[in-house]
Amino acid sequence: MEKNTNFQWKNPRNQYYAVIAANLILLSQGCLMGWISPAIPKLTSESTPLTSGLLTTQQVSWIGSISCIGVLVGSLSFGYFTSFMGCKRAMLFLTVPSIGAWLLIYFGQTFDHILLSRALSGWSTGGITTTIILFVSEIANNDIRGRLGGISHFMRNIGILIGYTLGATLEYHIIPCICIFMPIIYAISFAALPNTPRYYLQRGQTKKAEDALKYYKGYRGESVEENIALYDELERLNRIVNERKSDEKLQASDIFNRAVMKGLGIGISLAILAQLTANFPLVTYAVTILKKSGTSFNPYASSIVLAVMLILGSSVNTYLADIFGRKRLNFISLTGSAVGQLATSLYHYLYISGYDLSLFSWVPVVSLSFVIFILAAGILPLQLICVVEYLPPKVWHI
């Protein structure tokens, strides 16, 4: 057969379904992230549901930070799991820590139970962040890969909104009873999908690889061009697998060269800048921050507004990146975040200094909403995309 390099696959429905199903676990993780914000005032009050008593400031800080350690462990461990389990099995395993986190919240009686729940949540988040990139890269058409990759941020942000909303409206022990079904639905939906074509080729299962490729490409067998394109793609994937088998180990020379070091430098710099924007503390402690900011608005309702802005920001990210370009949008995002947080800090300083700010009580909500929006529209999703673009596949696709 002659190669058909101009053929365009036009039926990506199964790719959308697969990526949405894969990201349902992030809906649960977003709920776990969002739930803690309205739960902290409850856990630090005299009416705390924990038999060990109300939480101290130090314990609350651990609850916020332990998930970051979990994310680090999850990213490293699931990178290893994926290498021998494949994307699908590694991703299905994420159901275990996610369900465990909700069970600990429901049955937990002490601070240690909540801490372990948060650690499991972070581990699961780090795992899905690592594996979903590989899964999307292996099944998606080139023209929609960026769009499919953006679904992860959107689903997580939807989960945060659900967590804020449930935490503001329902009793403490009712929330895990509802949210525990999310990872279960994820497991059922995702288990029905075939593994990636590359996974089957790595194990010499050519027929299964062909069937998986037909499924994800939306193959209909209606034309000669489509048949040629299918087998060209199968050949390309087989060639990649054979090349990786012949040179599986990453050599020092693969990393210590100018192009890779530049990419790593950019990636690490963007990651540091993204963390310095305090986006994680803002999401984790939104209700507490708004309570102490001096605003007259209901902190629980205001936190829901922040979550809505998070979703809006992630929704327009691709559109803004096309208009401004990645570099300029990162700069706008960081600058806008600094301006918004400066406005919040100035308001709080004047508030604790005794000034009458009753006419400006909207400032903390508006400025923090702007910060959340501009970060979600810019550097938060772009930092990972930029790393993937700057580094060769052999370095990041291990």
Side-chain angles (χ1 to χ4, degrees):
M1 286 188 180
E2 296 181 0
K3 290 188 177 295
N4 186 358
T5 57
N6 297 320
F7 184 83
Q8 296 292 323
W9 296 99
K10 297 180 180 179
N11 186 27
R13 179 181 59 189
N14 290 339
Q15 293 179 28
Y16 278 100
Y17 167 73
V19 174
I20 291 173
N23 279 292
L24 285 176
I25 191 67
L26 273 172
L27 200 64
S28 175
Q29 298 314 110
C31 284
L32 280 162
M33 289 180 64
W35 161 84
I36 195 63
S37 178
I40 285 175
K42 179 78 171 177
L43 296 172
T44 55
S45 69
E46 295 295 336
S47 59
T48 178
L50 302 179
T51 57
S52 59
L54 58 88
L55 300 184
T56 64
T57 302
Q58 184 180 20
Q59 288 174 325
V60 169
S61 67
W62 267 108
I63 284 177
S65 58
I66 193 67
S67 60
C68 295
I69 299 174
V71 169
L72 177 62
V73 175
S75 299
L76 296 174
S77 61
F78 273 89
Y80 174 71
F81 293 160
T82 305
S83 64
F84 68 88
M85 293 173 65
C87 284
K88 182 183 175 181
R89 290 180 181 177
M91 291 168 73
L92 282 173
F93 181 71
L94 289 165
T95 308
V96 177
S98 186
I99 291 176
W102 286 117
L103 289 175
L104 281 167
I105 291 171
Y106 183 81
F107 291 106
Q109 300 289 316
T110 67
F111 160 70
D112 292 336
H113 293 131
I114 304 301
L115 197 67
L116 181 56
S117 172
R118 293 284 293 171
L120 287 175
S121 170
W123 188 42
S124 184
T125 300
I128 191 62
T129 302
T130 301
T131 53
I132 194 67
I133 300 171
L134 300 179
F135 182 73
V136 172
S137 70
E138 291 185 9
I139 71 164
N141 296 340
N142 292 334
D143 58 333
I144 61 170
R145 185 172 290 130
R147 201 179 311 158
L148 292 176
I151 291 176
S152 297
H153 293 277
F154 186 76
M155 293 290 278
R156 189 203 63 170
N157 294 340
I158 289 287
I160 291 173
L161 174 60
I162 294 172
Y164 280 171
T165 305
L166 294 179
T169 56
L170 297 178
E171 291 297 323
Y172 180 89
H173 284 103
I174 295 178
I175 298 170
C177 294
I178 296 172
C179 294
I180 198 171
F181 286 100
M182 293 181 184
I184 295 173
I185 294 171
Y186 156 76
I188 295 171
S189 302
F190 193 61
L193 296 170
N195 217 314
T196 65
R198 188 178 298 181
Y199 170 83
Y200 291 124
L201 288 173
Q202 287 171 339
R203 284 148 183 82
Q205 299 173 322
T206 307
K207 182 62 172 65
K208 287 187 176 181
E210 182 181 333
D211 292 340
L213 190 62
K214 287 179 179 179
Y215 176 82
Y216 287 119
K217 293 298 184 182
Y219 173 81
R220 294 174 177 171
E222 296 177 349
S223 65
V224 175
E225 290 81 4
E226 189 179 25
N227 288 324
I228 294 174
L230 178 76
Y231 288 103
D232 283 349
E233 180 66 10
L234 199 61
E235 266 185 41
R236 186 185 71 83
L237 292 174
N238 208 16
R239 191 164 54 251
I240 292 173
V241 168
N242 290 331
E243 288 174 358
R244 290 193 64 196
K245 282 182 178 178
S246 63
D247 190 20
E248 283 187 349
K249 291 186 178 180
L250 193 66
Q251 306 294 327
S253 58
D254 295 322
I255 297 177
F256 295 102
N257 63 69
R258 186 172 181 179
V260 173
M261 294 304 294
K262 178 182 177 182
L264 287 173
I266 292 172
I268 293 171
S269 299
L270 288 176
I272 292 173
L273 289 171
Q275 293 307 309
L276 290 176
T277 61
N279 67 91
F280 183 76
L282 283 177
V283 171
T284 304
Y285 302 112
V287 172
T288 304
I289 292 171
L290 289 165
K291 265 189 172 183
K292 296 184 177 181
S293 67
T295 181
S296 60
F297 290 87
N298 183 297
Y300 294 95
S302 299
S303 68
I304 294 174
V305 173
L306 297 187
V308 171
M309 298 307 292
L310 199 61
I311 294 170
L312 290 176
S314 60
S315 300
V316 301
N317 166 258
T318 304
Y319 176 72
L320 293 179
D322 290 340
I323 295 177
F324 297 107
R326 287 167 173 58
K327 183 177 180 180
R328 191 176 300 174
L329 183 55
N330 276 327
F331 178 78
I332 293 172
S333 181
L334 290 168
T335 305
S337 169
V339 171
Q341 295 193 53
L342 181 62
T344 305
S345 302
L346 180 60
Y347 178 92
H348 186 63
Y349 174 77
L350 295 175
Y351 171 75
I352 62 176
S353 298
Y355 289 89
D356 181 15
L357 300 174
S358 55
L359 293 176
F360 302 96
S361 62
W362 50 269
V363 169
V365 178
V366 172
S367 58
L368 289 179
S369 295
F370 173 73
V371 170
I372 290 291
F373 172 82
I374 203 70
L375 289 176
I379 192 168
L380 294 185
L382 287 181
Q383 57 174 317
L384 193 55
I385 295 173
C386 290
V387 172
V388 171
E389 288 182 343
Y390 275 104
L391 293 177
K394 187 175 181 179
V395 175
W396 62 266
H397 195 277
I398 300 172

